[in-house]
mmCIF file of all heavy atoms in Angstrom:
data_model
loop_
_atom_site.group_PDB
_atom_site.id
_atom_site.type_symbol
_atom_site.label_atom_id
_atom_site.label_comp_id
_atom_site.label_asym_id
_atom_site.label_seq_id
_atom_site.Cartn_x
_atom_site.Cartn_y
_atom_site.Cartn_z
ATOM 1 N N MET A 623 89.112 88.327 111.532
ATOM 2 C CA MET A 623 88.857 89.728 111.184
ATOM 3 C C MET A 623 89.956 90.289 110.293
ATOM 4 O O MET A 623 89.678 90.996 109.317
ATOM 5 C CB MET A 623 88.724 90.560 112.460
ATOM 6 C CG MET A 623 87.462 90.299 113.256
ATOM 7 S SD MET A 623 87.437 91.226 114.808
ATOM 8 C CE MET A 623 87.421 92.908 114.198
ATOM 9 N N GLU A 624 91.212 89.981 110.610
ATOM 10 C CA GLU A 624 92.328 90.488 109.813
ATOM 11 C C GLU A 624 92.304 89.922 108.398
ATOM 12 O O GLU A 624 92.486 90.650 107.414
ATOM 13 C CB GLU A 624 93.649 90.146 110.503
ATOM 14 C CG GLU A 624 93.896 90.914 111.796
ATOM 15 C CD GLU A 624 95.159 90.474 112.494
ATOM 16 O OE1 GLU A 624 95.820 89.524 112.007
ATOM 17 O OE2 GLU A 624 95.501 91.073 113.531
ATOM 18 N N LEU A 625 92.055 88.618 108.302
ATOM 19 C CA LEU A 625 92.079 87.973 106.994
ATOM 20 C C LEU A 625 90.909 88.440 106.137
ATOM 21 O O LEU A 625 91.080 88.769 104.948
ATOM 22 C CB LEU A 625 92.044 86.453 107.168
ATOM 23 C CG LEU A 625 92.585 85.602 106.019
ATOM 24 C CD1 LEU A 625 94.022 85.980 105.701
ATOM 25 C CD2 LEU A 625 92.496 84.125 106.372
ATOM 26 N N ALA A 626 89.716 88.502 106.716
ATOM 27 C CA ALA A 626 88.549 88.949 105.955
ATOM 28 C C ALA A 626 88.676 90.417 105.573
ATOM 29 O O ALA A 626 88.263 90.820 104.474
ATOM 30 C CB ALA A 626 87.281 88.720 106.766
ATOM 31 N N GLY A 627 89.248 91.224 106.467
ATOM 32 C CA GLY A 627 89.430 92.636 106.149
ATOM 33 C C GLY A 627 90.349 92.840 104.964
ATOM 34 O O GLY A 627 90.076 93.648 104.061
ATOM 35 N N GLU A 628 91.469 92.097 104.946
ATOM 36 C CA GLU A 628 92.389 92.222 103.817
ATOM 37 C C GLU A 628 91.763 91.669 102.543
ATOM 38 O O GLU A 628 91.937 92.239 101.455
ATOM 39 C CB GLU A 628 93.697 91.497 104.116
ATOM 40 C CG GLU A 628 94.702 91.641 102.992
ATOM 41 C CD GLU A 628 96.090 91.145 103.360
ATOM 42 O OE1 GLU A 628 96.373 91.002 104.572
ATOM 43 O OE2 GLU A 628 96.900 90.916 102.432
ATOM 44 N N ALA A 629 91.022 90.574 102.663
ATOM 45 C CA ALA A 629 90.357 90.006 101.488
ATOM 46 C C ALA A 629 89.369 91.003 100.893
ATOM 47 O O ALA A 629 89.301 91.178 99.667
ATOM 48 C CB ALA A 629 89.628 88.720 101.872
ATOM 49 N N ARG A 630 88.615 91.664 101.766
ATOM 50 C CA ARG A 630 87.642 92.637 101.292
ATOM 51 C C ARG A 630 88.325 93.755 100.494
ATOM 52 O O ARG A 630 87.856 94.134 99.411
ATOM 53 C CB ARG A 630 86.887 93.214 102.483
ATOM 54 C CG ARG A 630 85.823 94.226 102.117
ATOM 55 C CD ARG A 630 85.159 94.814 103.351
ATOM 56 N NE ARG A 630 84.162 95.798 102.944
ATOM 57 C CZ ARG A 630 82.903 95.514 102.657
ATOM 58 N NH1 ARG A 630 82.476 94.268 102.774
ATOM 59 N NH2 ARG A 630 82.060 96.456 102.281
ATOM 60 N N GLU A 631 89.433 94.266 101.009
ATOM 61 C CA GLU A 631 90.141 95.351 100.331
ATOM 62 C C GLU A 631 90.712 94.887 98.992
ATOM 63 O O GLU A 631 90.610 95.605 97.980
ATOM 64 C CB GLU A 631 91.264 95.863 101.229
ATOM 65 C CG GLU A 631 90.776 96.575 102.487
ATOM 66 C CD GLU A 631 91.917 96.986 103.386
ATOM 67 O OE1 GLU A 631 93.092 96.773 102.998
ATOM 68 O OE2 GLU A 631 91.652 97.517 104.481
ATOM 69 N N ARG A 632 91.295 93.704 98.990
ATOM 70 C CA ARG A 632 91.941 93.238 97.763
ATOM 71 C C ARG A 632 90.926 92.891 96.686
ATOM 72 O O ARG A 632 91.146 93.175 95.489
ATOM 73 C CB ARG A 632 92.840 92.041 98.080
ATOM 74 C CG ARG A 632 94.039 92.437 98.933
ATOM 75 C CD ARG A 632 94.848 91.253 99.410
ATOM 76 N NE ARG A 632 95.523 90.561 98.330
ATOM 77 C CZ ARG A 632 96.438 89.613 98.503
ATOM 78 N NH1 ARG A 632 96.784 89.261 99.751
ATOM 79 N NH2 ARG A 632 97.009 89.025 97.490
ATOM 80 N N LEU A 633 89.804 92.303 97.067
ATOM 81 C CA LEU A 633 88.790 91.948 96.071
ATOM 82 C C LEU A 633 88.105 93.185 95.529
ATOM 83 O O LEU A 633 87.821 93.287 94.331
ATOM 84 C CB LEU A 633 87.764 90.996 96.690
ATOM 85 C CG LEU A 633 88.280 89.626 97.140
ATOM 86 C CD1 LEU A 633 87.126 88.748 97.607
ATOM 87 C CD2 LEU A 633 89.049 88.926 96.020
ATOM 88 N N ALA A 634 87.815 94.157 96.399
ATOM 89 C CA ALA A 634 87.137 95.374 95.955
ATOM 90 C C ALA A 634 87.989 96.183 94.983
ATOM 91 O O ALA A 634 87.455 96.988 94.202
ATOM 92 C CB ALA A 634 86.763 96.228 97.164
ATOM 93 N N ALA A 635 89.289 95.974 95.012
ATOM 94 C CA ALA A 635 90.188 96.705 94.116
ATOM 95 C C ALA A 635 90.218 96.118 92.707
ATOM 96 O O ALA A 635 90.762 96.740 91.787
ATOM 97 C CB ALA A 635 91.607 96.724 94.698
ATOM 98 N N ILE A 636 89.640 94.951 92.515
ATOM 99 C CA ILE A 636 89.608 94.318 91.198
ATOM 100 C C ILE A 636 88.452 94.916 90.401
ATOM 101 O O ILE A 636 87.312 94.939 90.873
ATOM 102 C CB ILE A 636 89.442 92.792 91.319
ATOM 103 C CG1 ILE A 636 90.622 92.191 92.106
ATOM 104 C CG2 ILE A 636 89.328 92.141 89.947
ATOM 105 C CD1 ILE A 636 90.459 90.713 92.404
ATOM 106 N N PRO A 637 88.688 95.412 89.182
ATOM 107 C CA PRO A 637 87.626 96.029 88.385
ATOM 108 C C PRO A 637 86.442 95.084 88.182
ATOM 109 O O PRO A 637 86.621 93.911 87.845
ATOM 110 C CB PRO A 637 88.313 96.344 87.052
ATOM 111 C CG PRO A 637 89.759 96.471 87.409
ATOM 112 C CD PRO A 637 89.992 95.476 88.512
ATOM 113 N N GLY A 638 85.229 95.604 88.424
ATOM 114 C CA GLY A 638 84.014 94.833 88.207
ATOM 115 C C GLY A 638 83.552 94.029 89.395
ATOM 116 O O GLY A 638 82.460 93.458 89.366
ATOM 117 N N VAL A 639 84.343 93.965 90.470
ATOM 118 C CA VAL A 639 83.970 93.175 91.648
ATOM 119 C C VAL A 639 83.226 94.050 92.654
ATOM 120 O O VAL A 639 83.701 95.129 93.011
ATOM 121 C CB VAL A 639 85.216 92.556 92.315
ATOM 122 C CG1 VAL A 639 84.823 91.862 93.619
ATOM 123 C CG2 VAL A 639 85.878 91.567 91.366
ATOM 124 N N THR A 640 82.070 93.583 93.082
ATOM 125 C CA THR A 640 81.290 94.243 94.132
ATOM 126 C C THR A 640 81.297 93.353 95.366
ATOM 127 O O THR A 640 80.931 92.178 95.289
ATOM 128 C CB THR A 640 79.841 94.492 93.691
ATOM 129 O OG1 THR A 640 79.833 95.321 92.532
ATOM 130 C CG2 THR A 640 79.043 95.163 94.806
ATOM 131 N N VAL A 641 81.732 93.914 96.488
ATOM 132 C CA VAL A 641 81.811 93.175 97.750
ATOM 133 C C VAL A 641 80.653 93.604 98.641
ATOM 134 O O VAL A 641 80.336 94.806 98.727
ATOM 135 C CB VAL A 641 83.159 93.434 98.456
ATOM 136 C CG1 VAL A 641 83.215 92.693 99.784
ATOM 137 C CG2 VAL A 641 84.313 92.998 97.559
ATOM 138 N N TYR A 642 80.028 92.650 99.323
ATOM 139 C CA TYR A 642 78.883 92.935 100.171
ATOM 140 C C TYR A 642 79.262 92.776 101.652
ATOM 141 O O TYR A 642 80.262 92.163 101.982
ATOM 142 C CB TYR A 642 77.727 91.984 99.831
ATOM 143 C CG TYR A 642 77.425 91.923 98.354
ATOM 144 C CD1 TYR A 642 77.773 90.804 97.591
ATOM 145 C CD2 TYR A 642 76.817 92.999 97.711
ATOM 146 C CE1 TYR A 642 77.510 90.753 96.228
ATOM 147 C CE2 TYR A 642 76.554 92.962 96.343
ATOM 148 C CZ TYR A 642 76.903 91.837 95.611
ATOM 149 O OH TYR A 642 76.655 91.795 94.266
ATOM 150 N N GLY A 643 78.422 93.313 102.502
ATOM 151 C CA GLY A 643 78.618 93.120 103.934
ATOM 152 C C GLY A 643 79.146 94.342 104.638
ATOM 153 O O GLY A 643 79.335 95.412 104.042
ATOM 154 N N PRO A 644 79.427 94.219 105.934
ATOM 155 C CA PRO A 644 79.809 95.365 106.768
ATOM 156 C C PRO A 644 81.151 95.960 106.364
ATOM 157 O O PRO A 644 82.089 95.244 106.020
ATOM 158 C CB PRO A 644 79.890 94.764 108.183
ATOM 159 C CG PRO A 644 79.146 93.483 108.117
ATOM 160 C CD PRO A 644 79.301 92.982 106.728
ATOM 161 N N THR A 645 81.232 97.284 106.442
ATOM 162 C CA THR A 645 82.494 97.976 106.196
ATOM 163 C C THR A 645 83.269 98.194 107.492
ATOM 164 O O THR A 645 84.477 98.401 107.468
ATOM 165 C CB THR A 645 82.229 99.339 105.529
ATOM 166 O OG1 THR A 645 81.303 100.086 106.333
ATOM 167 C CG2 THR A 645 81.643 99.148 104.142
ATOM 168 N N ILE A 646 82.584 98.131 108.628
ATOM 169 C CA ILE A 646 83.233 98.316 109.926
ATOM 170 C C ILE A 646 83.818 96.984 110.378
ATOM 171 O O ILE A 646 83.090 95.989 110.511
ATOM 172 C CB ILE A 646 82.233 98.837 110.977
ATOM 173 C CG1 ILE A 646 81.638 100.172 110.521
ATOM 174 C CG2 ILE A 646 82.898 98.981 112.340
ATOM 175 C CD1 ILE A 646 80.523 100.674 111.399
#
């Protein structure tokens, strides 16, 4: 959970990247 949560935040911050899946 910790690793995926950080990955989600870091990838979403890259211009043009759309991340899918739960936000909770």
Side-chain angles (χ1 to χ4, degrees):
M623 290 176 64
E624 291 176 357
L625 203 57
E628 182 170 342
R630 181 183 179 88
E631 292 176 3
R632 292 173 67 170
L633 296 185
I636 300 174
V639 174
T640 300
V641 178
Y642 310 107
T645 54
I646 301 173

